[in-house]
Amino acid sequence: MIKRLIKQWDIQMMVVPAILFIFIFSYIPMYGTLMAFQDYNIFKGFWHSPWVGFKHFRMFFDSPDFWTVMRNTIVISLLKLVVGFPAPILLALMLNEVRKVAFKRIVQTLSYLPHFMSWVIVAGFTMSMLSTDNGSVNILLQALHLIREPINWLSTSDYFWGILISSNVWKEIGFASIIYLAAIAGVNPDMYEAASIDGASKLKQIFLITIPAIMPVIIIFMILAVGNLLTAGFEDILLLATNPALRDVSDVLDTYVFRVGIKSSRFSYATAVGLYKAIISIGLLTMANLIARRSGNSLW
């Protein structure tokens, strides 16, 4: 192995920046998890701040915010998984069936563009559309006589989850479909031709050839999605849920850590909440990988 590394030194050097990036921004910050077990004081530092064991974890579990935050995190994450995960797969399957190359490229380009917009732009666009003052959604619904007066969409908790999930799907569906389109492109065209000769319709070809062919890719991304199940979102929720009235349905683990850690300067408590989330995520990732291993497709 050492001989191969020496022979490929120029190629191996290309990996060094990525390794350094991960080491600096992912591994070194792990040192900061010590704060979860301390009453951390920025003037005393890590080694002189008093150790308190699992005090901050118990405070979080006993907090009245615990069940609200966990409910919002789990519900929003499951909605993103159930709605957002199959959406790019469906888009990729539909684009694969388009025979007009020009139309296909236009649709692909338009669906990719939102991914490259920051959440600040997307949130501003969403707020403009849903505004009670000349918002296009309210104007359209009034023109169709579906509502009499404009609805304040972003101040009503009943609509927040739907708006959040819709915005996420619109922003990421096109870019996420690229991987599935690449996997579909690797399917042998002779299989479709043979199925067509045997009388299989386009729908049967999708279910019997395309989906089984890209199933390994789907399973890998499903494992990663389950591992990130407690990552319900941060930027999107922070920017869309500007109204304090939405906190009961919008406060998730990431926004809660930001609120208590940065705004309230409770660094040790926020670190404990973040560490709790990381431990649960590792458990979910391991469980999903073990289940996926039975199908012959797993991360390790």
Side-chain angles (χ1 to χ4, degrees), residues 202-231:
K202 286 291 183 182
L203 192 61
K204 285 187 176 180
Q205 290 177 30
I206 291 172
F207 280 102
L208 298 178
I209 299 175
T210 309
I211 293 179
I214 65 173
M215 189 55 69
V217 178
I218 294 175
I219 291 174
I220 294 298
F221 278 90
M222 175 62 78
I223 295 172
L224 295 174
V226 171
N228 289 319
L229 198 60
L230 292 185
T231 306

Side-chain angles (χ1 to χ4, degrees), residues 16-202:
V16 173
I19 294 174
L20 289 174
F21 180 86
I22 294 172
F23 178 74
I24 294 171
F25 294 101
S26 297
Y27 281 89
I28 292 179
M30 287 184 183
Y31 183 72
T33 58
L34 290 173
M35 285 192 292
F37 307 97
Q38 298 176 321
D39 274 333
Y40 179 72
N41 187 303
I42 59 175
F43 299 105
K44 293 181 179 179
F46 288 111
W47 299 113
H48 297 287
S49 296
W51 296 89
V52 294
F54 293 97
K55 170 188 171 182
H56 299 292
F57 292 92
R58 289 193 297 268
M59 287 175 61
F60 176 56
F61 297 145
D62 295 336
S63 169
D65 296 326
F66 175 77
W67 290 111
T68 301
V69 170
M70 288 304 299
R71 182 204 65 186
N72 294 338
T73 302
I74 293 171
V75 171
I76 292 175
S77 296
L78 286 175
L79 286 172
K80 286 185 177 181
L81 183 66
V82 172
V83 178
F85 184 79
I89 300 174
L90 292 174
L91 178 62
L93 292 172
M94 289 189 290
L95 287 174
N96 185 58
E97 298 301 322
V98 176
R99 294 294 170 259
K100 297 289 184 180
V101 178
F103 177 75
K104 183 177 181 179
R105 288 178 178 174
I106 292 172
V107 173
Q108 284 180 301
T109 303
L110 292 175
S111 63
Y112 297 165
L113 283 177
H115 172 80
F116 300 100
M117 298 180 187
S118 71
W119 266 111
V120 176
I121 297 173
V122 174
F125 180 67
T126 304
M127 290 177 179
S128 177
M129 287 183 62
L130 300 177
S131 172
T132 54
D133 300 325
N134 299 320
S136 57
V137 174
N138 280 315
I139 291 174
L140 177 62
L141 292 176
Q142 285 179 303
L144 296 174
H145 302 289
L146 296 176
I147 59 173
R148 292 183 178 180
E149 297 181 356
I151 298 174
N152 197 342
W153 300 95
L154 289 173
S155 296
T156 309
S157 57
D158 293 341
Y159 303 126
F160 179 73
W161 287 346
I163 295 169
L164 180 68
I165 303 305
S166 301
S167 301
N168 272 269
V169 171
W170 176 78
K171 187 176 187 298
E172 300 296 340
I173 186 172
F175 192 78
S177 67
I178 294 175
I179 297 170
Y180 299 109
L181 280 170
I184 293 172
V187 180
N188 190 347
D190 294 340
M191 298 177 66
Y192 293 109
E193 186 177 348
S196 179
I197 293 172
D198 290 339
S201 63
K202 286 291 183 182

